[in-house]
């Protein structure tokens, strides 16, 4: 449970998210036109809603797989040490792999996962992030496709949590602590 009371200010509506995913899906379809080998890899748990909506917009043959990395726990700060809690089920050698991340913050999570998956000799490895907080970046990394750039704020909703809460909000909101 979070320690302090907070309210959530809406930042990105469900409608805007859906419209942006539709745009991105067209770009991705163009990029992977003709491929029979696409594996879409969601990073658990924050990307579960994004990947579900994204693959339903993709008019391509896709396989879906997941990796789970260690998270912030109940804190709002990255530990910078990334551990793999659950690995892929499938082999990605010679496959086109699209990694789906909820937020790129410091970039350590995505950088670690790309390193790991890259060592398995995929045909190519690309990334999509729903949200990007470029001002917080520590690792030298940028996703190939980005839904929205956001300022340095702690956000929740649309799969993204604060201490395991608020993943089920249909929109993205900003956490604001209150005094009482
Ligand atoms: P990074 O390794 O610092 O880039 O952190 C990436 C992961 O931290 C994301 O996949 C999220 O799970 C989590 N994260 C980063 N920013 C936020 C936030 O604003 N709210 C909730 N989780 C976040």
């Amino acid at each position: 449970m979070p320690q302090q009371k907070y309210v959530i200010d809406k930042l990105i509506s469900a409608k805007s998210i859906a419209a942006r995913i539709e745009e991105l899906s067209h770009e991705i379809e163009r990029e992977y036109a003709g491929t029979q080998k696409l594996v879409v890899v969601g990073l658990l748990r924050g990307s579960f809603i994004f990947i579900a909506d994204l693959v339903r917009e993709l008019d391509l043959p896709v396989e879906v797989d997941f990796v789970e990395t260690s998270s912030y726990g109940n804190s709002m700060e990255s530990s910078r040490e990334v551990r793999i809690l659950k690995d892929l089920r499938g082999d990605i050698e010679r496959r086109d792999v699209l990694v789906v991340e909820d937020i790129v913050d410091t970039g350590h999570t995505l950088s670690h996962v790309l390193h790991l998956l890259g060592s398995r000799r995929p045909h190519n490895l690309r990334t999509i992030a729903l949200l990007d907080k470029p001002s917080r970046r520590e690792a030298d990394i940028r996703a190939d496709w980005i839904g929205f750039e956001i300022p340095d704020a702690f956000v929740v909703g649309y799969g993204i949590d604060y201490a395991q809460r608020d993943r089920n909000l249909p929109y993205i909101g900003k956490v604001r602590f209150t005094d009482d």
Side-chain angles (χ1 to χ4, degrees), residues 11 105 132-136 148-155 174:
L11 193 64
D105 187 28
D132 187 22
K133 290 193 223 170
S135 62
R136 300 250 315 155
F148 302 90
E149 247 185 42
I150 60 168
D152 179 9
F154 197 82
V155 295
K174 198 170 144 178

Side-chain angles (χ1 to χ4, degrees), residues 22-83:
E22 199 187 331
E23 280 174 8
L24 289 166
S25 69
H26 295 315
E27 290 181 29
I28 292 168
E29 281 165 4
R30 276 199 293 278
E31 184 70 29
Y32 292 104
T35 184
Q36 296 296 320
K37 293 190 277 187
L38 183 61
V39 188
V40 182
V41 174
L43 301 196
L44 292 171
R45 283 174 261 178
S47 74
F48 80 105
I49 294 180
F50 180 36
I51 192 174
D53 283 348
L54 180 69
V55 294
R56 281 180 293 178
E57 286 293 331
L58 288 179
D59 189 12
L60 290 171
V62 297
E63 285 181 26
V64 175
D65 207 337
F66 294 96
V67 168
E68 184 172 4
T69 57
S70 50
S71 74
Y72 291 8
N74 282 355
S75 108
M76 287 176 134
E77 272 302 312
S78 167
S79 64
R80 292 176 181 82
E81 192 193 292
V82 182
R83 285 180 304 124

Side-chain angles (χ1 to χ4, degrees), residues 65-140:
D65 207 337
F66 294 96
V67 168
E68 184 172 4
T69 57
S70 50
S71 74
Y72 291 8
N74 282 355
S75 108
M76 287 176 134
E77 272 302 312
S78 167
S79 64
R80 292 176 181 82
E81 192 193 292
V82 182
R83 285 180 304 124
I84 303 293
L85 303 179
K86 180 208 167 297
D87 206 336
L88 294 174
R89 290 290 294 273
D91 186 1
I92 56 166
E93 190 169 349
R94 294 193 294 275
R95 308 291 301 264
D96 294 327
V97 178
L98 176 63
V99 175
V100 180
E101 169 72 305
D102 55 352
I103 311 181
V104 187
D105 187 28
T106 64
H108 290 299
T109 304
L110 194 56
S111 168
H112 185 91
V113 169
L114 290 182
H115 222 83
L116 177 74
L117 302 189
S119 71
R120 297 177 186 174
R121 303 150 68 93
H123 174 243
N124 65 49
L125 187 54
R126 294 197 179 90
T127 51
I128 179 167
L130 179 66
L131 304 175
D132 187 22
K133 290 193 223 170
S135 62
R136 300 250 315 155
R137 197 73 84 255
E138 293 175 7
D140 183 17

